[in-house]
Amino acid sequence: MPSAPHPVLSVVVPMYDEAEVLPLFVERLRPVLDGLDEPYELVAVDDGSRDRTPVLLQAARRTWPQLRVLRLRANAGHQAAISAGLAAARGDWVVTLDADLQDPPEVIPEMIARARAEGVDVVYGVRTDRSSDTAFKRRTAHLFYATMRLMGATGAPDHAGDYRLMSRATVDAVNALPEDHRVLRLVVPALGFPSTTVGYARQERAAGTSKYPLATMVRLSLDSVTGFSRAPLKLATWFGLGGFLLAVALLGYALVAKLTGHTIAGWTSTVMIVAAFSALQLLCLGILGEYVGRIYTSLQRRPTYYVAHDSLTDERERHTLHP
Ligand code: UDP
Ligand code: MG
């Protein structure tokens, strides 16, 4: 087999039970990539799908030599699946893209053109129109970006999801990060590499259902906060300081009351103080716990994903065994 040319572009697509949308996705993406007139690879990361996704991918590979399938042993989640794809991608440029056609693949050529023309490392796809998302998703997304900015995660463009183009240097930098549960949409801007944005209208999921239950969204948000900011810990310190000042004032009041003989049966105030301070303490413990938990998982050093097979290396092995 003639060895395929080194890909200029790698497109990394995480897929979890996307059999319904896969044929539509292939149909939309292939003309865009073929039209680039440059060697490319499509790295489909099959994130432990339980439906017909792997079957469809193998079938598509027969007619699409640039399609490379990276199968993960078990479902690792969106961010980990993208990380797996980034580690495997060989291109000089790497685009990450969801499989559900919410982010139109037609923007890819524009991203590459902008990166080359402006000499930047990263081109973020920014959703200028999210009217196709549910009101709930829009509101929570807005809250997410606002909170993250408040916490000091600067540089992340608003409403930039995981649709972005990265240079080889950027991908190498991301791959070299020791963090386990990295939230790529914050990690990449934090590198601070030169970047630009390309706007597009977010579309509805072409088929199938969202693989992002509320619990996962909450997890992503917690990972984002604890992975990016120590602000909540500072908040705990400020609570503590405020509480201390209040306690001193209350102590003075209590002493004066005692000396002047005005000691009343202050049940309500006692209950309120105890309740308020206990709640604050629990809150601060919880904040601390989130960070300790992060240290704990990072000390365990458990991989966030396991690769079952990569069609590229499988092929190479076959050729060395039966040349
Ligand atoms: N995905 C994944 N593993 C998961 C969940 C999702 O690889 O555990 C993929 C999914 O196939 C899709 C992308 O991540 O390509 C985004 O998921 P989805 O569209 O369901 O999320 P939403 O757009 O609703 O936030
Ligand atoms: Mg989606």
Side-chain angles (χ1 to χ4, degrees):
M1 191 185 79
S3 66
H6 175 80
V8 170
L9 175 74
S10 297
V11 180
V12 170
V13 184
M15 294 177 187
Y16 180 51
D17 288 352
E18 297 290 10
E20 268 172 75
V21 81
L22 198 58
L24 298 168
F25 180 69
V26 168
E27 210 173 282
R28 278 266 301 273
L29 183 64
R30 185 155 189 192
V32 175
L33 296 183
D34 285 343
L36 286 173
D37 262 349
E38 280 179 295
Y40 67 86
E41 65 174 355
L42 168 61
V43 184
V45 184
D46 174 5
D47 187 11
S49 299
R50 301 152 303 175
D51 66 353
R52 286 173 46 77
T53 302
V55 181
L56 295 179
L57 283 173
Q58 286 310 329
R61 254 167 54 74
R62 264 179 241 135
T63 54
W64 197 0
Q66 289 94 334
L67 171 59
R68 175 177 166 198
V69 181
L70 192 73
R71 163 90 179 168
L72 302 187
R73 261 183 211 288
N75 179 244
H78 186 205
Q79 299 294 311
I82 299 178
S83 293
L86 290 183
R90 298 171 297 159
D92 301 330
W93 299 99
V94 180
V95 168
T96 54
L97 172 70
D98 287 350
D100 56 5
L101 292 174
Q102 282 193 288
D103 308 321
E106 290 76 18
V107 184
I108 294 176
E110 194 188 336
M111 284 179 160
I112 299 181
R114 290 283 297 275
R116 284 185 173 144
E118 298 178 30
V120 293
D121 278 300
V122 188
V123 182
Y124 299 102
V126 173
R127 305 157 208 172
T128 45
D129 172 10
R130 289 190 78 143
S131 51
S132 62
D133 278 334
T134 61
F136 176 70
K137 184 110 194 173
R138 276 207 307 269
R139 211 157 298 150
T140 47
H142 183 75
L143 195 70
F144 174 79
Y145 292 108
T147 315
M148 288 320 297
R149 228 189 331 275
L150 202 71
M151 304 246 166
T154 46
D158 227 0
H159 298 287
D162 281 306
Y163 189 17
R164 74 178 86 74
L165 172 83
M166 289 172 277
S167 65
R168 174 52 34 201
T170 313
V171 174
D172 287 344
V174 170
N175 288 341
L177 290 174
E179 272 174 276
D180 295 323
H181 295 271
R182 49 192 176 209
V183 179
L184 290 158
R185 66 187 66 177
L186 298 174
V187 161
V188 176
L191 292 172
F193 290 4
S195 68
T196 185
T197 57
V198 167
Y200 65 92
R202 186 139 218 239
Q203 265 126 57
E204 288 211 46
R205 197 175 229 287
T209 51
S210 171
K211 311 297 180 299
Y212 249 89
L214 185 63
T216 319
M217 274 167 66
V218 171
R219 193 65 253 164
L220 184 78
S221 307
L222 282 178
D223 275 339
S224 304
V225 172
T226 53
F228 266 84
S229 165
R230 287 187 309 241
L233 286 174
K234 282 188 206 139
L235 196 71
T237 312
W238 285 111
F239 275 154
L241 210 65
F244 176 71
L245 292 179
L246 196 68
V248 169
L250 281 172
L251 196 75
Y253 170 74
L255 278 178
V256 170
K258 169 94 184 155
L259 292 177
T260 52
H262 284 115
T263 36
I264 21 146
W267 185 81
T268 315
S269 55
T270 312
V271 167
M272 272 162 53
I273 290 164
V274 170
F277 277 92
S278 319
L280 267 185
Q281 277 174 1
L282 285 180
L283 178 73
C284 297
L285 260 184
I287 293 175
L288 211 62
E290 277 300 321
Y291 285 89
V292 175
R294 216 182 147 82
I295 300 172
Y296 173 66
T297 37
S298 96
L299 281 180
Q300 285 179 316
R301 303 252 54 153
R302 287 195 194 143
T304 44
Y305 60 84
Y306 292 94
V307 176
H309 57 79
D310 178 349
S311 61
L312 185 76
T313 47
D314 289 356
E315 230 159 58
R316 280 193 190 138
E317 267 160 31
R318 215 169 307 136
H319 283 279
T320 40
L321 287 177
H322 318 281

